[in-house]
Amino acid sequence: MARRPYTQALPTRAPRSTSNYYPPVYSNRHFTFRLDNTYSSVRPIRAGVPQGSTLPLLCSAYVNDIPRPKTGVQLALFADDTALFLRSNCLRNILPRLQRAIDELTQWLRLWRIEVNPEKPVMTYASPVFAHARPDILYDLQVVQNKFCRRAADAPWYVKNSTLHRDFELPTISKFMKDASERFFDIASNHPNPLLVEAVTYEPPPPNHFCRRPRNVLIDPPDDLTVEVEKLLELNKMVTD
């Protein structure tokens, strides 16, 4: 990664505040490893960039020439997160165009040896918030997930969505949001910052109360599809045991 910005034709008259970031990042960097009170010998750092204020700048320079799709697919970038999205009323119109954009992006990623983490969806960041969307909106999201499952498996019409989720080991939208919210509240509740702990430590209103708070997602009953999937998973566990 250290050599890439030099191949990007970056301006030679970069602002002083910007150019001053480069020297300490690229040269004379070392590290040591500590286990309890024992330290390793000092070793040089030969690749990578440090976390902190310099990372967004270097990351932006590194991905500056990321290919923009030519098929109407939109590319969204935020720091090191990348998303491809397309809106259409026809699934058959969306899938080939998205796949073409993914193929183009994959070639560029392989060229510059950038590893992708596909298991970090946007929903992970905001599950405590998305979980409070209107039920019809969550239902629409679940319908989209079901359609992708059926398309990926080339499943005939008589195969139930719950069976596909079980076979793919894929959680439903509501199950994913609830699990992610549980992890969030568990981490926040054990955080060393007492203000953060205080902010997430409360009793949520009853399920039928007109006021809802983020912790309500932890006590909300599962939707029908999630119940079906859980029953199939439990049945499989009983058979294997």
Side-chain angles (χ1 to χ4, degrees):
M1 186 169 184
R3 59 175 285 274
R4 171 120 167 91
Y6 291 111
T7 70
Q8 291 281 90
L10 295 178
T12 56
R13 299 180 184 178
R16 182 176 299 275
S17 59
T18 300
S19 59
N20 284 345
Y21 280 141
Y22 291 141
V25 172
Y26 287 129
S27 61
N28 299 323
R29 293 184 297 133
H30 300 80
F31 76 97
T32 183
F33 177 78
R34 180 174 69 92
L35 177 61
D36 296 330
N37 295 323
T38 304
Y39 291 81
S40 70
S41 59
V42 177
R43 302 294 181 88
I45 298 178
R46 305 184 187 279
V49 295
Q51 284 189 297
S53 60
T54 62
L55 184 58
L57 174 66
L58 294 177
C59 182
S60 297
Y62 196 73
V63 301
N64 184 58
D65 65 339
I66 189 170
R68 265 58 180 180
K70 301 176 182 178
T71 57
V73 177
Q74 300 296 313
L75 176 73
L77 295 172
F78 181 78
D80 61 343
D81 293 326
T82 306
L84 293 169
F85 61 95
L86 176 65
R87 183 180 180 89
S88 175
N89 294 326
C90 179
L91 184 61
R92 293 182 179 179
N93 182 40
I94 292 177
L95 293 180
R97 295 165 68 182
L98 272 178
Q99 187 59 56
R100 199 173 309 125
I102 292 173
D103 293 341
E104 294 173 357
L105 183 59
T106 299
Q107 294 179 4
W108 182 86
L109 293 170
R110 288 176 177 171
L111 174 64
W112 295 109
R113 301 180 182 180
I114 299 177
E115 185 177 356
V116 176
N117 179 12
E119 298 181 357
K120 192 178 73 170
V122 174
M123 202 175 295
T124 302
Y125 296 115
S127 286
V129 177
F130 286 157
H132 294 285
R134 295 200 318 268
D136 58 322
I137 299 298
L138 296 180
Y139 176 80
D140 289 344
L141 286 175
Q142 187 59 63
V143 169
V144 172
Q145 186 188 56
N146 295 343
K147 289 182 178 179
F148 272 101
C149 287
R150 308 194 75 84
R151 185 63 179 258
D154 195 20
W157 63 269
Y158 52 82
V159 177
K160 300 182 68 174
N161 290 323
S162 56
T163 302
L164 292 174
H165 279 76
R166 179 202 62 186
D167 293 346
F168 281 146
E169 298 182 356
L170 180 69
T172 62
I173 295 295
S174 64
K175 183 69 165 59
F176 177 88
M177 289 182 175
K178 186 172 183 178
D179 290 346
S181 297
E182 286 180 346
R183 292 192 298 269
F184 167 79
F185 283 111
D186 182 62
I187 294 173
S189 299
N190 294 280
H191 198 275
N193 188 331
L195 295 178
L196 180 58
V197 174
E198 182 181 357
V200 299
T201 304
Y202 59 87
E203 287 294 327
N208 297 328
H209 198 273
F210 70 93
C211 179
R212 286 176 57 84
R213 299 190 66 184
R215 269 192 179 272
N216 276 103
V217 68
L218 304 182
I219 61 175
D220 285 342
D223 59 11
D224 293 340
L225 178 59
T226 302
V227 172
E228 290 184 29
V229 175
E230 294 295 330
K231 287 181 179 179
L232 290 177
L233 291 175
E234 187 64 28
L235 181 61
N236 279 6
K237 184 178 180 181
M238 293 174 58
V239 171
T240 54
D241 291 345

